[in-house]
Amino acid sequence: MRVIGILLIILGVIGLIFGMMMFGDIGIACIVGALTALLSGIGFNIAAGKLKKLG
């Protein structure tokens, strides 16, 4: 679960960089997708930590 979170964070950071290079609506859509991946990755890491502490 932690590996998925780390991969999503990396994907989100790369997506933000590429989204800033793009123009118009496509760039906005790329940034929104990257932010979603970034927040999901953070959530996965938080959940993995709580599951590890629980078990």
Side-chain angles (χ1 to χ4, degrees), residues 4 8-9 16-17 20 22 25-26 31 39 42 54-55:
I4 295 172
L8 281 170
I9 291 172
L16 281 174
I17 293 169
M20 290 179 197
M22 296 178 186
D25 295 341
I26 302 297
I31 291 173
L39 291 174
I42 292 170
L54 183 67

Side-chain angles (χ1 to χ4, degrees), residues 28-41:
I28 294 171
C30 185
I31 291 173
V32 168
L35 286 175
T36 304
L38 194 62
L39 291 174
S40 296

